[in-house]
Amino acid sequence: MSADDTMTGVGDLSAPPTLRRDLEAVLMVVDQPVSEYELARALDVSLEVVNRTLEDLSREYTEQGRGFDLRAVAEGWRVYTRPECADVVEHFLKEGQEVRLTQAALETMAVVAYRQPVSRGRVSAVRGVNCDGVMRTLVLRGLIEEAGHDSESGALLYRTTSYFLERLGLRGLDELPELAPFLPDDIEGLDDTGEHT
């Protein structure tokens, strides 16, 4: 039994203020649902106390009408934007502030533009890193969109949108610049993912 368990006791319905704070801090940075067990182990408190505290936080956020929600999904917990705030968030991401795209987003968008229709897996293979989060951001900003499924693998395919062309001032994809001047001189023996064959 940890110090937190001793302090809160088995029958106590409240948790130490530091536990609530620590849970919030962890849940704000995870990119996928995290289980009560993982949280209890990481914070050195009982599963019961973590579960009760998560439920209290979730209820509190709802009662206060916060713009975010704490939900139990996929055998874990994660912070989400409330559905009623979706339009505001989408507007912000698309047009709210003129936010520049990160280098990762620009690279990902370039791969989609030149390889479309292309799957997330192929984009990740070309870039050499997982691109799931960047792809979601580009979809939310309206720069890329779903384009069906690959007939062989069943993977979801993506393509650029007319908004992408508009933002770049292009009439069509045929106006994209040639890649050859930007490629390294030593590309002999590379396959279509950029790996040496």
Side-chain angles (χ1 to χ4, degrees), residues 65 134 152 174:
V134 176
E152 293 178 14
D174 55 335

Side-chain angles (χ1 to χ4, degrees), residues 10-148:
V10 175
D12 190 357
L13 296 176
S14 64
T18 57
L19 177 60
R20 293 167 62 89
R21 179 199 67 197
D22 294 346
L23 282 170
E24 288 175 334
V26 170
L27 290 166
M28 289 304 239
V29 298
V30 296
D31 61 356
Q32 58 189 6
V34 59
S35 73
E36 291 126 343
Y37 174 77
E38 291 173 294
L39 291 167
R41 190 182 61 192
L43 300 174
D44 194 28
V45 294
S46 76
L47 193 58
E48 180 184 345
V49 170
V50 166
N51 187 43
R52 191 169 51 239
T53 305
L54 289 168
E55 289 172 357
D56 287 347
L57 285 170
S58 179
R59 188 171 38 258
E60 179 182 305
Y61 298 156
T62 300
E63 289 169 358
Q64 292 177 353
R66 300 277 185 101
F68 56 89
D69 186 17
L70 178 58
R71 286 187 243 154
V73 293
E75 299 179 8
W77 290 80
R78 186 169 177 204
V79 174
Y80 291 90
T81 301
R82 288 207 181 273
E84 54 268 31
C85 298
D87 291 342
V88 172
V89 172
E90 185 175 355
H91 177 73
F92 174 80
L93 289 176
K94 282 186 178 178
E95 302 169 21
Q97 296 180 351
E98 274 302 313
V99 179
R100 291 182 177 267
L101 292 175
T102 63
Q103 185 68 31
L106 290 170
E107 290 172 8
T108 301
M109 197 167 56
V111 173
V112 174
Y114 283 96
R115 300 280 177 125
Q116 62 186 304
V118 64
S119 68
R120 285 184 187 191
R122 175 62 77 187
V123 174
S124 294
V126 170
R127 288 204 54 235
V129 294
N130 184 313
C131 298
D132 290 354
V134 176
M135 295 282 285
R136 281 192 297 274
T137 298
L138 293 173
V139 169
L140 279 173
R141 290 191 179 185
L143 294 166
I144 65 173
E145 64 187 1
E146 295 178 4

